[in-house]
Amino acid sequence: ETSSTELDARLAQLVFAHPEVEAVYALSSSGIQRTATATRSAPSRSLFHAAPRGADQSLKDYFLELATDSPRYSSTPYLSMATGHTCVTHSRRVVTRDGELIVLCCDLPVDAHAI
């Protein structure tokens, strides 16, 4: 099984390599957050905070919509509790090199989504 530490490190690298990405995180096949939420910077207001490892995301559209036959999903715009910005979440089922099924979620600001 791919370690959470390894996934955290790779997701942090992805956020810093792609300035258009606001946040990225991985969920287990049951919708439990498998990694910390990697973000470029902390939100400016204390009202907002990134979901931690272990958070239950199983009722979020970006997870539920993958329960069907679709391998990926893009949400409608919403206010991100992780950053305080309006964003869309793109999610996709992926299999790690160890054969573990995870859901990779990537939050993009609405203006970047239009690109």
Side-chain angles (χ1 to χ4, degrees), residues 55-91:
D56 187 345
Q57 307 285 11
S58 64
L59 296 178
K60 302 287 187 169
D61 287 347
Y62 51 79
F63 179 77
L64 284 174
E65 292 297 322
L66 292 176
T68 64
D69 291 333
S70 177
R72 62 179 152 280
Y73 174 77
S74 294
S75 74
T76 57
Y78 68 96
L79 182 64
S80 168
M81 291 309 293
T83 64
H85 301 137
T86 302
C87 72
V88 294
T89 297
H90 296 282
S91 59

PDB file of all heavy atoms in Angstrom, residues 55-91:
ATOM      1  N   ALA A  55     -10.961  12.916   7.356  1.00  0.00           N
ATOM      2  CA  ALA A  55     -12.267  13.563   7.198  1.00  0.00           C
ATOM      3  C   ALA A  55     -13.157  12.719   6.285  1.00  0.00           C
ATOM      4  O   ALA A  55     -12.689  12.130   5.306  1.00  0.00           O
ATOM      5  CB  ALA A  55     -12.098  14.966   6.614  1.00  0.00           C
ATOM      6  N   ASP A  56     -14.424  12.667   6.600  1.00  0.00           N
ATOM      7  CA  ASP A  56     -15.377  11.895   5.800  1.00  0.00           C
ATOM      8  C   ASP A  56     -15.904  12.772   4.666  1.00  0.00           C
ATOM      9  O   ASP A  56     -16.643  13.719   4.898  1.00  0.00           O
ATOM     10  CB  ASP A  56     -16.534  11.420   6.691  1.00  0.00           C
ATOM     11  CG  ASP A  56     -17.482  10.476   5.978  1.00  0.00           C
ATOM     12  OD1 ASP A  56     -17.442  10.377   4.730  1.00  0.00           O
ATOM     13  OD2 ASP A  56     -18.288   9.834   6.675  1.00  0.00           O
ATOM     14  N   GLN A  57     -15.512  12.463   3.446  1.00  0.00           N
ATOM     15  CA  GLN A  57     -15.937  13.211   2.254  1.00  0.00           C
ATOM     16  C   GLN A  57     -16.919  12.383   1.418  1.00  0.00           C
ATOM     17  O   GLN A  57     -17.203  12.709   0.276  1.00  0.00           O
ATOM     18  CB  GLN A  57     -14.712  13.576   1.393  1.00  0.00           C
ATOM     19  CG  GLN A  57     -13.608  14.275   2.122  1.00  0.00           C
ATOM     20  CD  GLN A  57     -13.915  15.735   2.425  1.00  0.00           C
ATOM     21  OE1 GLN A  57     -15.029  16.205   2.275  1.00  0.00           O
ATOM     22  NE2 GLN A  57     -12.907  16.462   2.856  1.00  0.00           N
ATOM     23  N   SER A  58     -17.427  11.304   1.997  1.00  0.00           N
ATOM     24  CA  SER A  58     -18.236  10.350   1.223  1.00  0.00           C
ATOM     25  C   SER A  58     -19.569  10.902   0.739  1.00  0.00           C
ATOM     26  O   SER A  58     -20.159  10.333  -0.177  1.00  0.00           O
ATOM     27  CB  SER A  58     -18.473   9.077   2.039  1.00  0.00           C
ATOM     28  OG  SER A  58     -19.244   9.359   3.198  1.00  0.00           O
ATOM     29  N   LEU A  59     -20.049  12.005   1.298  1.00  0.00           N
ATOM     30  CA  LEU A  59     -21.316  12.580   0.845  1.00  0.00           C
ATOM     31  C   LEU A  59     -21.131  13.785  -0.072  1.00  0.00           C
ATOM     32  O   LEU A  59     -22.112  14.414  -0.475  1.00  0.00           O
ATOM     33  CB  LEU A  59     -22.182  12.964   2.049  1.00  0.00           C
ATOM     34  CG  LEU A  59     -22.613  11.779   2.922  1.00  0.00           C
ATOM     35  CD1 LEU A  59     -23.426  12.261   4.104  1.00  0.00           C
ATOM     36  CD2 LEU A  59     -23.395  10.752   2.107  1.00  0.00           C
ATOM     37  N   LYS A  60     -19.904  14.088  -0.415  1.00  0.00           N
ATOM     38  CA  LYS A  60     -19.626  15.198  -1.333  1.00  0.00           C
ATOM     39  C   LYS A  60     -19.904  14.756  -2.770  1.00  0.00           C
ATOM     40  O   LYS A  60     -19.643  13.611  -3.144  1.00  0.00           O
ATOM     41  CB  LYS A  60     -18.164  15.648  -1.225  1.00  0.00           C
ATOM     42  CG  LYS A  60     -17.748  16.085   0.157  1.00  0.00           C
ATOM     43  CD  LYS A  60     -18.338  17.425   0.494  1.00  0.00           C
ATOM     44  CE  LYS A  60     -17.745  17.890   1.825  1.00  0.00           C
ATOM     45  NZ  LYS A  60     -18.035  19.245   2.119  1.00  0.00           N
ATOM     46  N   ASP A  61     -20.415  15.688  -3.576  1.00  0.00           N
ATOM     47  CA  ASP A  61     -20.711  15.364  -4.973  1.00  0.00           C
ATOM     48  C   ASP A  61     -19.500  14.804  -5.705  1.00  0.00           C
ATOM     49  O   ASP A  61     -19.617  13.885  -6.501  1.00  0.00           O
ATOM     50  CB  ASP A  61     -21.204  16.598  -5.729  1.00  0.00           C
ATOM     51  CG  ASP A  61     -22.617  16.999  -5.358  1.00  0.00           C
ATOM     52  OD1 ASP A  61     -23.312  16.186  -4.703  1.00  0.00           O
ATOM     53  OD2 ASP A  61     -23.017  18.114  -5.712  1.00  0.00           O
ATOM     54  N   TYR A  62     -18.328  15.384  -5.436  1.00  0.00           N
ATOM     55  CA  TYR A  62     -17.130  14.944  -6.150  1.00  0.00           C
ATOM     56  C   TYR A  62     -16.714  13.527  -5.792  1.00  0.00           C
ATOM     57  O   TYR A  62     -15.887  12.936  -6.472  1.00  0.00           O
ATOM     58  CB  TYR A  62     -15.969  15.925  -5.994  1.00  0.00           C
ATOM     59  CG  TYR A  62     -15.630  16.337  -4.576  1.00  0.00           C
ATOM     60  CD1 TYR A  62     -14.891  15.514  -3.746  1.00  0.00           C
ATOM     61  CD2 TYR A  62     -16.039  17.574  -4.099  1.00  0.00           C
ATOM     62  CE1 TYR A  62     -14.575  15.902  -2.449  1.00  0.00           C
ATOM     63  CE2 TYR A  62     -15.721  17.977  -2.806  1.00  0.00           C
ATOM     64  CZ  TYR A  62     -14.994  17.134  -1.996  1.00  0.00           C
ATOM     65  OH  TYR A  62     -14.669  17.516  -0.724  1.00  0.00           O
ATOM     66  N   PHE A  63     -17.293  12.952  -4.749  1.00  0.00           N
ATOM     67  CA  PHE A  63     -17.088  11.534  -4.454  1.00  0.00           C
ATOM     68  C   PHE A  63     -18.292  10.709  -4.906  1.00  0.00           C
ATOM     69  O   PHE A  63     -18.144   9.699  -5.592  1.00  0.00           O
ATOM     70  CB  PHE A  63     -16.834  11.298  -2.965  1.00  0.00           C
ATOM     71  CG  PHE A  63     -16.647   9.836  -2.649  1.00  0.00           C
ATOM     72  CD1 PHE A  63     -15.450   9.204  -2.931  1.00  0.00           C
ATOM     73  CD2 PHE A  63     -17.691   9.082  -2.127  1.00  0.00           C
ATOM     74  CE1 PHE A  63     -15.284   7.843  -2.690  1.00  0.00           C
ATOM     75  CE2 PHE A  63     -17.534   7.729  -1.872  1.00  0.00           C
ATOM     76  CZ  PHE A  63     -16.332   7.112  -2.155  1.00  0.00           C
ATOM     77  N   LEU A  64     -19.497  11.146  -4.551  1.00  0.00           N
ATOM     78  CA  LEU A  64     -20.708  10.388  -4.876  1.00  0.00           C
ATOM     79  C   LEU A  64     -20.888  10.163  -6.373  1.00  0.00           C
ATOM     80  O   LEU A  64     -21.312   9.094  -6.793  1.00  0.00           O
ATOM     81  CB  LEU A  64     -21.948  11.105  -4.330  1.00  0.00           C
ATOM     82  CG  LEU A  64     -22.184  10.996  -2.842  1.00  0.00           C
ATOM     83  CD1 LEU A  64     -23.361  11.872  -2.430  1.00  0.00           C
ATOM     84  CD2 LEU A  64     -22.409   9.561  -2.425  1.00  0.00           C
ATOM     85  N   GLU A  65     -20.574  11.170  -7.163  1.00  0.00           N
ATOM     86  CA  GLU A  65     -20.765  11.045  -8.617  1.00  0.00           C
ATOM     87  C   GLU A  65     -19.834  10.002  -9.231  1.00  0.00           C
ATOM     88  O   GLU A  65     -20.092   9.514 -10.318  1.00  0.00           O
ATOM     89  CB  GLU A  65     -20.585  12.392  -9.300  1.00  0.00           C
ATOM     90  CG  GLU A  65     -21.671  13.389  -8.958  1.00  0.00           C
ATOM     91  CD  GLU A  65     -23.060  12.948  -9.409  1.00  0.00           C
ATOM     92  OE1 GLU A  65     -23.194  12.353 -10.489  1.00  0.00           O
ATOM     93  OE2 GLU A  65     -24.024  13.213  -8.662  1.00  0.00           O
ATOM     94  N   LEU A  66     -18.764   9.665  -8.525  1.00  0.00           N
ATOM     95  CA  LEU A  66     -17.854   8.639  -9.027  1.00  0.00           C
ATOM     96  C   LEU A  66     -18.370   7.235  -8.707  1.00  0.00           C
ATOM     97  O   LEU A  66     -17.822   6.255  -9.187  1.00  0.00           O
ATOM     98  CB  LEU A  66     -16.454   8.818  -8.439  1.00  0.00           C
ATOM     99  CG  LEU A  66     -15.728  10.066  -8.912  1.00  0.00           C
ATOM    100  CD1 LEU A  66     -14.404  10.195  -8.191  1.00  0.00           C
ATOM    101  CD2 LEU A  66     -15.520  10.045 -10.408  1.00  0.00           C
ATOM    102  N   ALA A  67     -19.427   7.127  -7.905  1.00  0.00           N
ATOM    103  CA  ALA A  67     -19.989   5.821  -7.589  1.00  0.00           C
ATOM    104  C   ALA A  67     -20.672   5.220  -8.815  1.00  0.00           C
ATOM    105  O   ALA A  67     -20.881   4.026  -8.887  1.00  0.00           O
ATOM    106  CB  ALA A  67     -20.983   5.941  -6.432  1.00  0.00           C
ATOM    107  N   THR A  68     -20.995   6.055  -9.780  1.00  0.00           N
ATOM    108  CA  THR A  68     -21.571   5.569 -11.033  1.00  0.00           C
ATOM    109  C   THR A  68     -20.429   5.084 -11.914  1.00  0.00           C
ATOM    110  O   THR A  68     -19.318   4.883 -11.460  1.00  0.00           O
ATOM    111  CB  THR A  68     -22.362   6.696 -11.720  1.00  0.00           C
ATOM    112  OG1 THR A  68     -21.454   7.742 -12.082  1.00  0.00           O
ATOM    113  CG2 THR A  68     -23.448   7.252 -10.814  1.00  0.00           C
ATOM    114  N   ASP A  69     -20.686   4.936 -13.181  1.00  0.00           N
ATOM    115  CA  ASP A  69     -19.668   4.426 -14.095  1.00  0.00           C
ATOM    116  C   ASP A  69     -18.668   5.481 -14.561  1.00  0.00           C
ATOM    117  O   ASP A  69     -17.741   5.165 -15.277  1.00  0.00           O
ATOM    118  CB  ASP A  69     -20.338   3.784 -15.318  1.00  0.00           C
ATOM    119  CG  ASP A  69     -21.058   2.502 -14.955  1.00  0.00           C
ATOM    120  OD1 ASP A  69     -20.641   1.854 -13.973  1.00  0.00           O
ATOM    121  OD2 ASP A  69     -22.027   2.157 -15.644  1.00  0.00           O
ATOM    122  N   SER A  70     -18.854   6.720 -14.168  1.00  0.00           N
ATOM    123  CA  SER A  70     -17.965   7.780 -14.627  1.00  0.00           C
ATOM    124  C   SER A  70     -16.636   7.738 -13.875  1.00  0.00           C
ATOM    125  O   SER A  70     -16.617   7.728 -12.651  1.00  0.00           O
ATOM    126  CB  SER A  70     -18.625   9.144 -14.416  1.00  0.00           C
ATOM    127  OG  SER A  70     -17.741  10.167 -14.787  1.00  0.00           O
ATOM    128  N   PRO A  71     -15.512   7.743 -14.594  1.00  0.00           N
ATOM    129  CA  PRO A  71     -14.204   7.720 -13.923  1.00  0.00           C
ATOM    130  C   PRO A  71     -13.764   9.085 -13.398  1.00  0.00           C
ATOM    131  O   PRO A  71     -12.810   9.190 -12.651  1.00  0.00           O
ATOM    132  CB  PRO A  71     -13.258   7.249 -15.020  1.00  0.00           C
ATOM    133  CG  PRO A  71     -13.897   7.727 -16.279  1.00  0.00           C
ATOM    134  CD  PRO A  71     -15.391   7.657 -16.044  1.00  0.00           C
ATOM    135  N   ARG A  72     -14.497  10.165 -13.785  1.00  0.00           N
ATOM    136  CA  ARG A  72     -14.114  11.501 -13.331  1.00  0.00           C
ATOM    137  C   ARG A  72     -15.361  12.376 -13.183  1.00  0.00           C
ATOM    138  O   ARG A  72     -16.409  12.082 -13.723  1.00  0.00           O
ATOM    139  CB  ARG A  72     -13.103  12.135 -14.256  1.00  0.00           C
ATOM    140  CG  ARG A  72     -13.573  12.366 -15.651  1.00  0.00           C
ATOM    141  CD  ARG A  72     -12.449  13.019 -16.446  1.00  0.00           C
ATOM    142  NE  ARG A  72     -12.446  12.762 -17.844  1.00  0.00           N
ATOM    143  CZ  ARG A  72     -12.012  11.695 -18.478  1.00  0.00           C
ATOM    144  NH1 ARG A  72     -11.548  10.699 -17.844  1.00  0.00           N
ATOM    145  NH2 ARG A  72     -12.030  11.580 -19.759  1.00  0.00           N
ATOM    146  N   TYR A  73     -15.185  13.459 -12.450  1.00  0.00           N
ATOM    147  CA  TYR A  73     -16.295  14.356 -12.168  1.00  0.00           C
ATOM    148  C   TYR A  73     -15.755  15.763 -11.980  1.00  0.00           C
ATOM    149  O   TYR A  73     -14.661  15.949 -11.452  1.00  0.00           O
ATOM    150  CB  TYR A  73     -17.020  13.904 -10.890  1.00  0.00           C
ATOM    151  CG  TYR A  73     -18.100  14.854 -10.440  1.00  0.00           C
ATOM    152  CD1 TYR A  73     -19.337  14.876 -11.077  1.00  0.00           C
ATOM    153  CD2 TYR A  73     -17.887  15.745  -9.392  1.00  0.00           C
ATOM    154  CE1 TYR A  73     -20.335  15.754 -10.671  1.00  0.00           C
ATOM    155  CE2 TYR A  73     -18.880  16.622  -8.980  1.00  0.00           C
ATOM    156  CZ  TYR A  73     -20.091  16.618  -9.626  1.00  0.00           C
ATOM    157  OH  TYR A  73     -21.069  17.485  -9.237  1.00  0.00           O
ATOM    158  N   SER A  74     -16.530  16.769 -12.404  1.00  0.00           N
ATOM    159  CA  SER A  74     -16.218  18.175 -12.156  1.00  0.00           C
ATOM    160  C   SER A  74     -17.420  18.804 -11.472  1.00  0.00           C
ATOM    161  O   SER A  74     -18.539  18.715 -11.982  1.00  0.00           O
ATOM    162  CB  SER A  74     -15.927  18.920 -13.464  1.00  0.00           C
ATOM    163  OG  SER A  74     -14.754  18.426 -14.056  1.00  0.00           O
ATOM    164  N   SER A  75     -17.190  19.413 -10.318  1.00  0.00           N
ATOM    165  CA  SER A  75     -18.283  20.012  -9.558  1.00  0.00           C
ATOM    166  C   SER A  75     -18.722  21.330 -10.182  1.00  0.00           C
ATOM    167  O   SER A  75     -18.039  21.896 -11.032  1.00  0.00           O
ATOM    168  CB  SER A  75     -17.834  20.253  -8.116  1.00  0.00           C
ATOM    169  OG  SER A  75     -16.950  21.365  -8.045  1.00  0.00           O
ATOM    170  N   THR A  76     -19.840  21.823  -9.705  1.00  0.00           N
ATOM    171  CA  THR A  76     -20.232  23.188 -10.024  1.00  0.00           C
ATOM    172  C   THR A  76     -19.440  24.095  -9.075  1.00  0.00           C
ATOM    173  O   THR A  76     -18.939  23.644  -8.045  1.00  0.00           O
ATOM    174  CB  THR A  76     -21.753  23.385  -9.828  1.00  0.00           C
ATOM    175  OG1 THR A  76     -22.087  23.039  -8.490  1.00  0.00           O
ATOM    176  CG2 THR A  76     -22.544  22.530 -10.803  1.00  0.00           C
ATOM    177  N   PRO A  77     -19.329  25.382  -9.393  1.00  0.00           N
ATOM    178  CA  PRO A  77     -18.579  26.290  -8.516  1.00  0.00           C
ATOM    179  C   PRO A  77     -19.185  26.353  -7.111  1.00  0.00           C
ATOM    180  O   PRO A  77     -20.404  26.310  -6.937  1.00  0.00           O
ATOM    181  CB  PRO A  77     -18.693  27.638  -9.221  1.00  0.00           C
ATOM    182  CG  PRO A  77     -18.902  27.288 -10.659  1.00  0.00           C
ATOM    183  CD  PRO A  77     -19.754  26.046 -10.626  1.00  0.00           C
ATOM    184  N   TYR A  78     -18.304  26.430  -6.106  1.00  0.00           N
ATOM    185  CA  TYR A  78     -18.730  26.550  -4.714  1.00  0.00           C
ATOM    186  C   TYR A  78     -17.636  27.259  -3.928  1.00  0.00           C
ATOM    187  O   TYR A  78     -16.505  27.381  -4.390  1.00  0.00           O
ATOM    188  CB  TYR A  78     -19.045  25.175  -4.114  1.00  0.00           C
ATOM    189  CG  TYR A  78     -17.834  24.281  -3.941  1.00  0.00           C
ATOM    190  CD1 TYR A  78     -17.163  24.200  -2.728  1.00  0.00           C
ATOM    191  CD2 TYR A  78     -17.338  23.533  -5.003  1.00  0.00           C
ATOM    192  CE1 TYR A  78     -16.052  23.401  -2.568  1.00  0.00           C
ATOM    193  CE2 TYR A  78     -16.229  22.723  -4.857  1.00  0.00           C
ATOM    194  CZ  TYR A  78     -15.584  22.663  -3.642  1.00  0.00           C
ATOM    195  OH  TYR A  78     -14.480  21.872  -3.493  1.00  0.00           O
ATOM    196  N   LEU A  79     -17.993  27.721  -2.729  1.00  0.00           N
ATOM    197  CA  LEU A  79     -17.022  28.382  -1.863  1.00  0.00           C
ATOM    198  C   LEU A  79     -16.221  27.321  -1.131  1.00  0.00           C
ATOM    199  O   LEU A  79     -16.771  26.513  -0.386  1.00  0.00           O
ATOM    200  CB  LEU A  79     -17.730  29.289  -0.853  1.00  0.00           C
ATOM    201  CG  LEU A  79     -16.821  30.067   0.086  1.00  0.00           C
ATOM    202  CD1 LEU A  79     -15.951  31.061  -0.696  1.00  0.00           C
ATOM    203  CD2 LEU A  79     -17.653  30.789   1.127  1.00  0.00           C
ATOM    204  N   SER A  80     -14.922  27.307  -1.361  1.00  0.00           N
ATOM    205  CA  SER A  80     -14.043  26.314  -0.742  1.00  0.00           C
ATOM    206  C   SER A  80     -13.826  26.632   0.725  1.00  0.00           C
ATOM    207  O   SER A  80     -13.413  27.737   1.075  1.00  0.00           O
ATOM    208  CB  SER A  80     -12.683  26.297  -1.457  1.00  0.00           C
ATOM    209  OG  SER A  80     -11.750  25.547  -0.712  1.00  0.00           O
ATOM    210  N   MET A  81     -14.096  25.653   1.591  1.00  0.00           N
ATOM    211  CA  MET A  81     -13.821  25.820   3.016  1.00  0.00           C
ATOM    212  C   MET A  81     -12.314  25.718   3.284  1.00  0.00           C
ATOM    213  O   MET A  81     -11.843  26.127   4.330  1.00  0.00           O
ATOM    214  CB  MET A  81     -14.574  24.779   3.840  1.00  0.00           C
ATOM    215  CG  MET A  81     -16.079  25.002   3.835  1.00  0.00           C
ATOM    216  SD  MET A  81     -16.596  26.689   4.273  1.00  0.00           S
ATOM    217  CE  MET A  81     -16.113  26.771   5.982  1.00  0.00           C
ATOM    218  N   ALA A  82     -11.564  25.184   2.330  1.00  0.00           N
ATOM    219  CA  ALA A  82     -10.110  25.074   2.489  1.00  0.00           C
ATOM    220  C   ALA A  82      -9.412  26.409   2.250  1.00  0.00           C
ATOM    221  O   ALA A  82      -8.453  26.736   2.932  1.00  0.00           O
ATOM    222  CB  ALA A  82      -9.549  24.022   1.548  1.00  0.00           C
ATOM    223  N   THR A  83      -9.907  27.182   1.266  1.00  0.00           N
ATOM    224  CA  THR A  83      -9.191  28.395   0.879  1.00  0.00           C
ATOM    225  C   THR A  83     -10.002  29.677   1.013  1.00  0.00           C
ATOM    226  O   THR A  83      -9.438  30.766   1.054  1.00  0.00           O
ATOM    227  CB  THR A  83      -8.721  28.307  -0.588  1.00  0.00           C
ATOM    228  OG1 THR A  83      -9.886  28.240  -1.430  1.00  0.00           O
ATOM    229  CG2 THR A  83      -7.835  27.098  -0.813  1.00  0.00           C
ATOM    230  N   GLY A  84     -11.333  29.557   1.021  1.00  0.00           N
ATOM    231  CA  GLY A  84     -12.186  30.743   1.049  1.00  0.00           C
ATOM    232  C   GLY A  84     -12.434  31.330  -0.323  1.00  0.00           C
ATOM    233  O   GLY A  84     -13.061  32.376  -0.449  1.00  0.00           O
ATOM    234  N   HIS A  85     -11.963  30.660  -1.373  1.00  0.00           N
ATOM    235  CA  HIS A  85     -12.165  31.123  -2.742  1.00  0.00           C
ATOM    236  C   HIS A  85     -13.241  30.285  -3.427  1.00  0.00           C
ATOM    237  O   HIS A  85     -13.451  29.130  -3.072  1.00  0.00           O
ATOM    238  CB  HIS A  85     -10.870  31.009  -3.549  1.00  0.00           C
ATOM    239  CG  HIS A  85      -9.748  31.787  -2.972  1.00  0.00           C
ATOM    240  ND1 HIS A  85      -8.478  31.289  -2.886  1.00  0.00           N
ATOM    241  CD2 HIS A  85      -9.700  33.028  -2.429  1.00  0.00           C
ATOM    242  CE1 HIS A  85      -7.690  32.182  -2.334  1.00  0.00           C
ATOM    243  NE2 HIS A  85      -8.406  33.244  -2.038  1.00  0.00           N
ATOM    244  N   THR A  86     -13.866  30.853  -4.444  1.00  0.00           N
ATOM    245  CA  THR A  86     -14.799  30.089  -5.255  1.00  0.00           C
ATOM    246  C   THR A  86     -13.985  29.171  -6.156  1.00  0.00           C
ATOM    247  O   THR A  86     -13.044  29.613  -6.819  1.00  0.00           O
ATOM    248  CB  THR A  86     -15.693  31.021  -6.092  1.00  0.00           C
ATOM    249  OG1 THR A  86     -16.385  31.899  -5.203  1.00  0.00           O
ATOM    250  CG2 THR A  86     -16.699  30.225  -6.902  1.00  0.00           C
ATOM    251  N   CYS A  87     -14.336  27.892  -6.143  1.00  0.00           N
ATOM    252  CA  CYS A  87     -13.563  26.922  -6.927  1.00  0.00           C
ATOM    253  C   CYS A  87     -14.471  25.829  -7.485  1.00  0.00           C
ATOM    254  O   CYS A  87     -15.666  25.790  -7.201  1.00  0.00           O
ATOM    255  CB  CYS A  87     -12.467  26.296  -6.060  1.00  0.00           C
ATOM    256  SG  CYS A  87     -13.077  25.141  -4.836  1.00  0.00           S
ATOM    257  N   VAL A  88     -13.888  24.979  -8.280  1.00  0.00           N
ATOM    258  CA  VAL A  88     -14.519  23.735  -8.728  1.00  0.00           C
ATOM    259  C   VAL A  88     -13.570  22.607  -8.336  1.00  0.00           C
ATOM    260  O   VAL A  88     -12.357  22.800  -8.263  1.00  0.00           O
ATOM    261  CB  VAL A  88     -14.789  23.701 -10.244  1.00  0.00           C
ATOM    262  CG1 VAL A  88     -15.832  24.727 -10.648  1.00  0.00           C
ATOM    263  CG2 VAL A  88     -13.523  23.894 -11.041  1.00  0.00           C
ATOM    264  N   THR A  89     -14.151  21.459  -8.044  1.00  0.00           N
ATOM    265  CA  THR A  89     -13.333  20.291  -7.721  1.00  0.00           C
ATOM    266  C   THR A  89     -13.425  19.312  -8.864  1.00  0.00           C
ATOM    267  O   THR A  89     -14.521  18.963  -9.315  1.00  0.00           O
ATOM    268  CB  THR A  89     -13.817  19.606  -6.422  1.00  0.00           C
ATOM    269  OG1 THR A  89     -13.669  20.523  -5.342  1.00  0.00           O
ATOM    270  CG2 THR A  89     -13.000  18.355  -6.132  1.00  0.00           C
ATOM    271  N   HIS A  90     -12.276  18.898  -9.349  1.00  0.00           N
ATOM    272  CA  HIS A  90     -12.184  17.839 -10.343  1.00  0.00           C
ATOM    273  C   HIS A  90     -11.734  16.591  -9.590  1.00  0.00           C
ATOM    274  O   HIS A  90     -10.738  16.632  -8.867  1.00  0.00           O
ATOM    275  CB  HIS A  90     -11.159  18.181 -11.435  1.00  0.00           C
ATOM    276  CG  HIS A  90     -11.538  19.384 -12.231  1.00  0.00           C
ATOM    277  ND1 HIS A  90     -12.485  19.339 -13.222  1.00  0.00           N
ATOM    278  CD2 HIS A  90     -11.124  20.662 -12.157  1.00  0.00           C
ATOM    279  CE1 HIS A  90     -12.626  20.550 -13.743  1.00  0.00           C
ATOM    280  NE2 HIS A  90     -11.804  21.370 -13.107  1.00  0.00           N
ATOM    281  N   SER A  91     -12.479  15.522  -9.733  1.00  0.00           N
ATOM    282  CA  SER A  91     -12.099  14.277  -9.063  1.00  0.00           C
ATOM    283  C   SER A  91     -12.005  13.162 -10.090  1.00  0.00           C
ATOM    284  O   SER A  91     -12.685  13.182 -11.117  1.00  0.00           O
ATOM    285  CB  SER A  91     -13.104  13.915  -7.963  1.00  0.00           C
ATOM    286  OG  SER A  91     -14.403  13.772  -8.488  1.00  0.00           O
TER     287      SER A  91
END
